[in-house]
C-alpha cells in the first residue's frame, strides 16, 4: 500500500485543485514504479494505491523508487509536498471481483499505517521472504500490536534514505 500522509489536512490548506495535482503526481510515480518492477495495481484508495507483486524483492524495489521520486517531487515543489508512507505484507489473499481481501491485505494496510512520512515498512513475512542480498539497510522495529490483529507482528523498515539510515543506526 501507498498512503499520502496528511492528505485531508493538505487538501484543506492548499485547496482541491492543488491537492489533485499532488494525487496525479503520486499516481504517475507509483504506476511508473509498478511498471518498472513487475507490480500490478489492484485499486486506487483515494490517497494511495494498493498493488500486488509476485516477488517481495520487486515490491521493495518499487517502494524505494517511489520514495526517491516522492522526495524529488517535494524538493522541487515544496508548497505541494508528496509525503508517502509505504507498507507491505506477504501472503495469499482472497481474490474476488478483481479485488484482494483477507488477513494478508488487512495486515499490509496496518503495516502501512504504522509507517511514517517517507518510510517503507515490511511485515515479518515480507522480511523473511527476502534474500540477504535483495535489499540492504533494514532496521527492525520489533514486534508490535497492530489495530485489529490478534498477534503482535514483527515490523521492519527499509532505510532507503541515508539520513534516516544514520539515525536508525545511532
Amino acid at each position: 500500500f501507498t498512503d499520502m500522509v496528511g492528505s485531508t489536512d493538505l487538501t484543506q490548506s492548499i485547496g482541491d485543485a492543488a491537492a489533485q495535482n499532488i494525487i496525479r503526481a503520486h499516481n504517475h510515480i507509483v504506476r511508473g514504479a509498478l511498471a518498472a518492477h513487475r507490480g500490478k495495481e489492484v485499486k486506487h484508495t483515494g490517497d494511495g494505491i494498493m498493488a500486488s507483486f509476485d516477488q517481495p524483492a520487486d515490491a521493495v524495489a518499487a517502494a524505494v523508487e517511489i520514495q526517491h521520486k516522492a522526495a524529488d517531487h517535494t524538493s522541487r515543489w515544496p508548497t505541494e509536498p508528496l509525503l508517502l508512507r509505504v507498507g507491505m505484507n506477504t501472503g495469499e489473499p482472497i481474490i474476488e471481483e478483481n479485488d484482494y481481501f483477507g488477513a494478508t491485505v488487512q495486515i499490509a494496510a496496518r503495516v502501512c499505517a504504522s509507517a511514517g512520512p517517507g518510510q517503507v515498512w515490511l511485515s515479518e513475512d515480507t522480511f523473511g521472504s527476502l534474500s540477504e542480498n535483495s535489499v540492504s539497510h533494514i532496521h527492525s522495529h520489533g514486534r508490535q500490536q497492530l489495530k485489529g490483529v490478534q498477534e503482535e507482528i514483527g515490523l521492519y523498515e527499509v532505510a532507503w534514505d541515508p539520513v534516516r539510515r544514520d539515525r536508525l543506526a545511532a
Side-chain angles (χ1 to χ4, degrees), residues 1-166:
F1 279 90
T2 64
D3 178 56
M4 293 175 57
V5 178
S7 61
T8 302
D9 290 340
L10 186 64
T11 300
Q12 296 297 309
S13 66
I14 66 173
D16 290 340
Q20 193 60 35
N21 287 337
I22 299 170
I23 291 171
R24 280 190 210 97
H26 162 271
N27 295 346
H28 176 75
I29 289 168
V30 172
R31 289 174 177 148
L34 293 178
H37 299 282
R38 295 172 292 280
K40 175 187 161 220
E41 181 175 339
V42 175
K43 66 180 169 184
H44 200 285
T45 62
D47 65 351
I49 287 180
M50 176 183 169
S52 69
F53 294 82
D54 289 335
Q55 300 298 321
D58 289 336
V60 171
V64 169
E65 179 180 325
I66 288 165
Q67 290 295 22
H68 277 290
K69 289 186 176 179
D72 181 55
H73 169 95
T74 298
S75 70
R76 291 186 356 214
W77 294 287
T79 60
E80 295 185 357
L82 179 55
L83 303 176
L84 297 177
R85 65 177 123 232
V86 180
M88 62 190 76
N89 185 35
T90 300
E92 293 298 323
I94 295 170
I95 303 172
E96 192 171 295
E97 297 180 17
N98 296 319
D99 202 350
Y100 288 36
F101 302 93
T104 297
V105 175
Q106 293 165 342
I107 291 171
R110 297 301 187 209
V111 171
C112 184
S114 297
Q119 294 180 350
V120 175
W121 280 37
L122 319 172
S123 71
E124 61 194 353
D125 288 340
T126 301
F127 175 74
S129 63
L130 296 170
S131 66
E132 285 190 32
N133 61 356
S134 66
V135 68
S136 59
H137 308 295
I138 294 182
H139 173 79
S140 173
H141 286 283
R143 298 185 67 74
Q144 297 187 27
Q145 190 68 54
L146 302 178
K147 181 181 173 186
V149 179
Q150 291 179 345
E151 294 182 25
E152 289 185 339
I153 303 287
L155 298 178
Y156 297 82
E157 180 179 345
V158 178
W160 63 272
D161 175 44
V163 173
R164 177 76 176 155
R165 186 178 314 135
D166 291 346

